[in-house]
Amino acid sequence: MSGAGVDLSQFFETFFDETEELLIEMERLLLDLDVANPDVDQLNGIFRAAHSIKGGAGTFGCFGYLADTTHLLENLLDFLRRGEMPLRKDMIDLFLDAKDVLTDQIVAYRNDQEPDAQAYERIGAQLRELAREQSSATGVLVPVASSTLEAASPEAESVLQVCVDLRQLGAADADTLLAEMAILGDVLHHEFSDKTLSLSLKTTCSVGDIEAVCCFMVNADQVQISQSGAAPKLDAGIAAVSDNASVDKESDVQTRVSPPPASGTTPGPVRTAAARPGAGSSKAGKESGTIRVGVEKVDQIINLVGELVITQAMLAQTASTLDPVLHDRLLNGIEQLERNARGLQEAVMSIRMMPMDYVFSRFPRLVRESASRLGKQINLQTRGQATELDKSLIERIIDPLTHLVRNSLDHGIETPEKRMASDKNPVGQITLSAQHSGGQIVIEVSDDGCGLNRERILKKAAQQGIAVSDSASDEEIWQLIFVPGFSTAEQVTDISGRGVGMDVVRRNIQDMGGHIQLSSRPNQGTTTRIILPLTLAILDGMSVRVGDETFILPLGHVMESMQPAAEQIHSISDDEHVLHVRGEYLPLVALHKVFSVENAQTEISQSIAVVLQAEGVRFALLVDHLIGQHQVVVKNLESNYRRIPGVSAATILGDGSVALIIDVFALVRVTRELTT
């Protein structure tokens, strides 16, 4: 933008982020609408979202596709909320399609590209046709907006004279806002006193556009605009959706905490309950209590805190040799530093935590459209949306969950006819839930469908040459669906059943330090449980020594430890042994053999057996000594060195040495090889 005043392009990212939030909210409200009896508040909310996007796009003046599309959508929504146009299911489908087009336009603008002109023309033509159809059917004139991309004639412009009062301003903000008002029109008069800027403005901009400019710099409750002078002139065929009562505060973007970006967009900044300045402060005179922080800045702070924790551990180890009587003040200070470092670490990590609603909110649309294509009736319930997970994990869990939901949609839930024949409600149920459990998060995808078919899975396993005992437990049989290429689908659909995916789901979960469990009952449904750490940045671990090397075992997988007695050890072959513990035979895995560690204890009865569990498998890991339990700062090994089989990451110990963090899931695969 040229001219005296602030370059509004600096606010583009804020506008993009908030537009994505508004589009997510619009989709949620559209999906919640009852076609037969639409809720007026929901219709108003959808209208407000479209109106706010249109106002912001119009203010910047360089997002013509976005402004046009939202203006067309806004016109129809205005008549719907006024009850002057009946709602139909196909309208909701069209509005959802328009929302997708708007999302694509935002992605294009964010990447400094022009939006898809064909998609813009297509959705515009459909929205205009709906408007004409309703006008013909009801006799109510539904406005059909023409493109703002076309140059408007001077005669078509509306000239307003408005009085603007901006309160609680500093002198610098007053100067900036005065310069911005001069860009929007002619400032006929202005005065600044008692922290209030009062001015009279002659402009062709709407009241909503003026408010939008002001609200990028101050809170909405600091702005008061009153209109005087000539009323707007409307060009033939162009309708302005009432910029009076409907606009008074509806252009304000409400503060929300970290809703998800639209599908396909680049994740924006982490919000520490963040919102732009000017977004909906409820009380005058109060400063905004939130800020918008870039992800890279948060990551930098987390890395620095991690280094601080490592330095504190080094100091503590060095000071452990000092006489506590002579150096009590120093040792007390180091203890206080440890407490403060842990508190700082937990506080900083909480900044990266985001609610699971970030993930869950995208599934109502998926369930609605997939159920329609499959001819099924499905209700989706979500629980624990406020449960928080590290941002780095919450974005990686989306694809695995999507695959699991698609499986429930396609293979789990039956058609209404089949459900009724089985004395079940014709409407199927899919539930997404999340909850904290200790230092982990448990995410479940459950359905009340037909459940897994044991006989069909066994038959498919036999066809693929997979040896399975007929006496195997259901839990062991269910694990077969994670075999690459394994699928019991009778036909391939565009939703699932291509024989790829479940193995990838499990691998992705394992890469996040988690594991996956399955439970199913015939004709009652299937539940898939995903257990993940809350974050990958820090880890509660048990340090063990093998030879001269130190390794870290994730504490969440450690069940117990013991020194094996000779009578507990049983040989399967010359090199393979099992440990008999309370009626259970556990495969023995010697850690020194896995990593070829020299000078390690080779006598089993002189070693320590640490019982580990992952993916429902228990085994005993042989180490030389147990050192202790403590939190460690996780360092990515691939980015700093290279990938090492059996190792998930590394950490720096208090003495400055590097310790490898064991990949327990890789060891599970070793135990499976030993037992097959």
Side-chain angles (χ1 to χ4, degrees):
M1 178 175 289
S2 61
V6 176
D7 182 1
L8 288 182
S9 64
Q10 64 182 295
F11 300 111
F12 282 1
E13 282 302 315
T14 299
F15 171 70
F16 294 150
D17 289 339
E18 290 176 350
T19 298
E20 288 172 354
E21 295 171 11
L22 288 167
L23 290 172
I24 290 294
E25 179 70 4
M26 180 188 294
E27 178 175 287
R28 184 187 69 80
L29 291 171
L30 283 168
L31 293 172
D32 287 345
L33 277 177
D34 181 353
V35 177
N37 187 26
D39 185 271
V40 175
D41 289 338
Q42 290 178 331
L43 289 172
N44 282 333
I46 300 167
F47 170 81
R48 279 194 296 269
H51 181 79
S52 297
I53 296 170
K54 185 204 75 169
T59 297
F60 289 115
C62 54
F63 304 133
Y65 288 101
L66 189 66
D68 279 0
T69 308
T70 48
H71 188 41
L72 287 165
L73 182 60
E74 179 193 43
N75 287 342
L76 293 166
L77 292 169
D78 190 37
F79 274 75
L80 279 171
R81 71 184 187 130
R82 294 172 184 269
E84 297 174 0
M85 191 167 71
L87 181 65
R88 302 194 309 262
K89 180 181 180 298
D90 64 297
M91 291 182 184
I92 297 179
D93 294 337
L94 177 58
F95 297 157
L96 288 170
D97 190 10
K99 175 262 172 188
D100 291 340
V101 172
L102 293 171
T103 297
D104 292 341
Q105 290 174 355
I106 284 294
V107 173
Y109 285 129
R110 188 190 285 273
N111 295 321
D112 295 323
Q113 299 171 352
E114 278 295 297
D116 186 337
Q118 290 185 343
Y120 161 76
E121 294 292 347
R122 175 186 62 80
I123 199 66
Q126 290 177 300
L127 291 171
R128 290 188 182 94
E129 180 58 32
L130 177 59
R132 294 189 186 96
E133 174 190 326
Q134 291 303 314
S135 296
S136 301
T138 63
V140 177
L141 179 61
V142 181
V144 181
S146 63
S147 173
T148 58
L149 295 176
E150 301 170 2
S153 63
E155 295 79 15
E157 293 186 339
S158 306
V159 179
L160 302 178
Q161 185 169 326
V162 296
C163 297
V164 183
D165 289 323
L166 301 161
R167 299 181 295 273
Q168 297 296 319
L169 298 181
D173 287 340
D175 290 342
T176 300
L177 283 163
L178 181 59
E180 289 303 323
M181 294 300 103
I183 294 174
L184 298 181
D186 296 327
V187 178
L188 305 178
H189 167 76
H190 72 276
E191 180 182 356
F192 180 62
S193 62
D194 296 331
K195 297 185 178 181
T196 298
L197 174 64
S198 300
L199 58 91
S200 177
L201 179 68
K202 186 177 180 181
T203 180
T204 58
C205 296
S206 70
V207 172
D209 290 347
I210 299 170
E211 283 185 340
V213 171
C214 295
C215 288
F216 271 109
M217 303 179 211
V218 297
N219 290 330
D221 52 28
Q222 295 173 253
V223 182
Q224 181 177 349
I225 302 176
S226 57
Q227 182 178 330
S228 62
K233 297 178 182 178
L234 295 182
D235 183 38
I238 304 179
V241 177
S242 55
D243 279 328
N244 40 53
S246 64
V247 175
D248 55 353
K249 288 298 174 190
E250 288 174 350
S251 61
D252 296 341
V253 182
Q254 300 301 312
T255 304
R256 283 176 294 279
V257 180
S258 302
S263 176
T265 63
T266 302
V270 168
R271 289 202 176 188
T272 59
R276 66 167 168 85
S281 173
S282 60
K283 294 183 180 179
K286 281 194 175 182
E287 294 184 359
S288 174
T290 60
I291 57 173
R292 186 185 296 270
V293 181
V295 176
E296 67 284 350
K297 292 184 179 180
V298 176
D299 289 343
Q300 183 181 14
I301 294 174
I302 289 174
N303 289 335
L304 289 173
V305 170
E307 296 300 323
L308 175 63
V309 171
I310 292 171
T311 303
Q312 173 270 319
M314 291 179 178
L315 289 173
Q317 183 159 331
T318 302
S320 63
T321 61
L322 299 177
D323 187 335
V325 176
L326 298 177
H327 303 91
D328 61 319
R329 292 184 63 186
L330 174 61
L331 295 176
N332 288 337
I334 291 177
E335 289 180 3
Q336 182 65 37
L337 175 62
E338 181 179 4
R339 288 192 293 271
N340 290 344
R342 179 176 286 266
L344 178 61
Q345 186 180 51
E346 292 175 353
V348 171
M349 289 308 305
S350 69
I351 297 176
R352 280 174 56 112
M353 306 303 279
M354 298 178 68
M356 281 300 296
D357 189 49
Y358 180 100
V359 178
F360 288 173
S361 63
R362 67 194 62 217
F363 288 107
R365 176 85 176 273
L366 171 66
V367 171
R368 178 181 186 272
E369 295 180 349
S370 298
S372 178
R373 290 203 303 273
L374 294 168
K376 298 179 179 180
Q377 300 175 23
I378 302 176
N379 179 48
L380 174 68
Q381 283 192 349
T382 55
R383 300 171 184 163
Q385 297 96 316
T387 304
E388 292 187 327
L389 182 64
D390 191 300
K391 183 180 188 297
S392 64
L393 292 175
I394 209 167
E395 290 168 352
R396 292 166 62 183
I397 196 64
I398 293 172
D399 286 345
L401 280 183
T402 300
H403 189 90
L404 294 175
V405 171
R406 288 184 183 275
N407 270 355
S408 290
L409 287 165
D410 203 2
H411 305 310
I413 303 295
E414 313 94 326
T415 62
E417 295 77 18
K418 288 184 179 180
R419 291 180 65 86
M420 292 176 69
S422 302
D423 294 327
K424 298 170 72 171
N425 189 320
V427 179
Q429 185 78 29
I430 295 178
T431 303
L432 287 172
S433 66
Q435 63 178 352
H436 285 153
S437 178
Q440 298 175 312
I441 185 173
V442 179
I443 305 169
E444 287 188 353
V445 180
S446 60
D447 64 65
D448 65 348
C450 57
L452 295 175
N453 189 311
R454 179 185 173 97
E455 289 70 26
R456 186 181 296 173
I457 293 175
L458 287 172
K459 181 180 178 181
K460 187 68 175 181
Q463 292 175 356
Q464 295 190 0
I466 302 173
V468 183
S469 171
D470 290 338
S471 61
S473 66
D474 285 345
E475 288 69 23
E476 293 174 306
I477 300 300
W478 306 153
Q479 291 298 316
L480 291 173
I481 71 172
F482 294 110
V483 174
F486 192 94
S487 175
T488 59
E490 296 179 353
Q491 59 183 3
V492 172
T493 72
D494 61 346
I495 295 179
S496 62
R498 298 182 182 274
V500 295
M502 289 304 291
D503 60 316
V504 177
V505 168
R506 183 167 69 174
R507 186 165 62 248
N508 288 345
I509 297 300
Q510 291 175 355
D511 288 344
M512 290 185 275
H515 60 282
I516 187 169
Q517 300 172 347
L518 272 177
S519 62
S520 183
R521 298 181 66 183
N523 205 39
Q524 295 188 31
T526 302
T527 296
T528 306
R529 172 178 290 190
I530 297 171
I531 297 95
L532 292 174
L534 295 180
T535 177
L536 294 182
I538 56 176
L539 173 74
D540 286 314
M542 172 182 283
S543 54
V544 299
R545 184 168 293 279
V546 179
D548 297 327
E549 302 293 333
T550 300
F551 297 91
I552 305 295
L553 303 177
L555 200 57
H557 295 286
V558 177
M559 308 307 294
E560 60 180 314
S561 60
M562 64 188 73
Q563 186 163 12
E567 60 270 17
Q568 292 179 287
I569 304 168
H570 300 271
S571 298
I572 299 177
S573 66
D574 292 340
D575 296 326
E576 298 175 6
H577 303 82
V578 294
L579 182 67
H580 187 221
V581 181
R582 292 186 292 276
E584 184 180 7
Y585 290 92
L586 304 177
L588 277 172
V589 178
L591 195 57
H592 72 87
K593 290 185 178 179
V594 176
F595 294 108
S596 302
V597 179
E598 298 180 353
N599 303 321
Q601 177 61 255
T602 57
E603 180 60 40
I604 297 177
S605 60
Q606 299 300 314
S607 302
I608 300 295
V610 182
V611 179
L612 302 175
Q613 178 170 325
E615 295 182 347
V617 176
R618 287 161 59 92
F619 63 97
L621 185 69
L622 293 176
V623 301
D624 293 0
H625 303 285
L626 302 181
I627 300 176
Q629 300 178 13
H630 47 91
Q631 272 195 338
V632 297
V633 178
V634 179
K635 298 289 186 180
N636 187 295
L637 199 59
E638 290 186 57
S639 60
N640 294 289
Y641 178 55
R642 63 179 174 84
R643 184 173 182 84
I644 299 178
V647 175
S648 62
T651 190
I652 300 175
L653 301 176
D655 61 0
S657 63
V658 175
L660 300 179
I661 300 173
I662 299 299
D663 182 351
V664 179
F665 299 104
L667 296 185
V668 167
R669 291 190 286 274
V670 172
T671 64
R672 286 192 174 129
E673 293 172 0
L674 293 176
T675 55
T676 55

